[in-house]
């Protein structure tokens, strides 16, 4: 063995040894799981924001394009059906709820694995 090899061996023996705690793996896995959970929550928040913006945009576009026509049709249909009771306020909300119900089902089928 040369002098150089002995010096390297001696230096390596003098270095302090680092010992990992007994539950290092468990704590590391907890951190990884927590980070994955936070990433899923961020993705879910982005999906909710995208859903809200999409619904607002869709309602706005439909209202802008067909608002007057729909309002006139709604007024004539409600006046023929019920006479004095007006459904001008409740009918569009009911239609929006039905659309949101189907959109929610579609999203849950597509991204349901992220909700659990």
């Amino acid at each position: 063995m040369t002098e150089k090899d002995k010096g390297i061996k001696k230096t390596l023996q003098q270095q302090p040894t680092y010992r990992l705690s007994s539950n290092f793996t468990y704590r590391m896995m907890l951190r990884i799981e927590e980070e994955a959970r936070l990433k899923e929550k961020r993705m879910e928040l982005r999906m909710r924001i995208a859903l809200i913006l999409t619904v607002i945009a869709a309602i706005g576009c439909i209202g802008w394009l067909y608002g007057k026509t729909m309002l006139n049709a709604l007024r004539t249909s409600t006046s023929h059906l019920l006479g004095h009771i007006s459904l001008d306020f409740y009918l569009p909300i009911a239609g929006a709820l039905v659309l949101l119900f189907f959109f929610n089902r579609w999203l849950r089928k597509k991204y349901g694995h992220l909700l659990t």
Side-chain angles (χ1 to χ4, degrees), residues 1-113:
M1 197 180 255
T2 65
E3 197 64 37
K4 186 177 180 183
D5 291 337
K6 288 180 185 179
I8 291 174
K9 188 175 182 181
K10 184 178 179 184
T11 305
L12 287 175
Q13 287 175 351
Q14 289 177 351
Q15 280 195 341
T17 57
Y18 295 102
R19 294 198 182 266
L20 297 174
S21 62
S22 61
N23 62 350
F24 172 78
T25 306
Y26 174 74
R27 287 188 298 138
M28 184 58 71
M29 289 306 294
L30 284 180
R31 286 184 187 166
I32 291 171
E33 288 174 5
E34 182 180 343
E35 213 168 298
R37 226 177 295 121
L38 288 174
K39 187 176 180 181
E40 286 180 10
K41 284 184 180 182
R42 277 186 249 129
M43 179 63 91
E44 185 178 334
L45 179 64
R46 288 181 190 144
M47 289 298 297
R48 284 184 183 175
I49 290 171
L51 171 66
I52 290 169
L53 292 176
T54 303
V55 168
I56 289 171
I59 290 172
C61 288
I62 290 171
W64 182 61
L65 293 173
Y66 303 108
K68 291 181 182 177
T69 308
M70 288 173 52
L71 193 58
N72 289 336
L74 185 64
R75 283 187 182 141
T76 57
S77 66
T78 56
S79 65
H80 289 296
L81 291 175
L82 300 174
H84 67 283
I85 299 173
S86 175
L87 295 178
D88 288 349
F89 178 72
Y90 297 106
L91 218 52
I93 292 174
L97 286 175
V98 169
L99 289 174
L100 287 173
F101 173 76
F102 287 113
F103 190 62
N104 184 30
R105 283 187 57 200
W106 177 73
L107 280 176
R108 286 188 183 269
K109 284 180 184 177
K110 187 167 183 154
Y111 298 106
H113 64 282

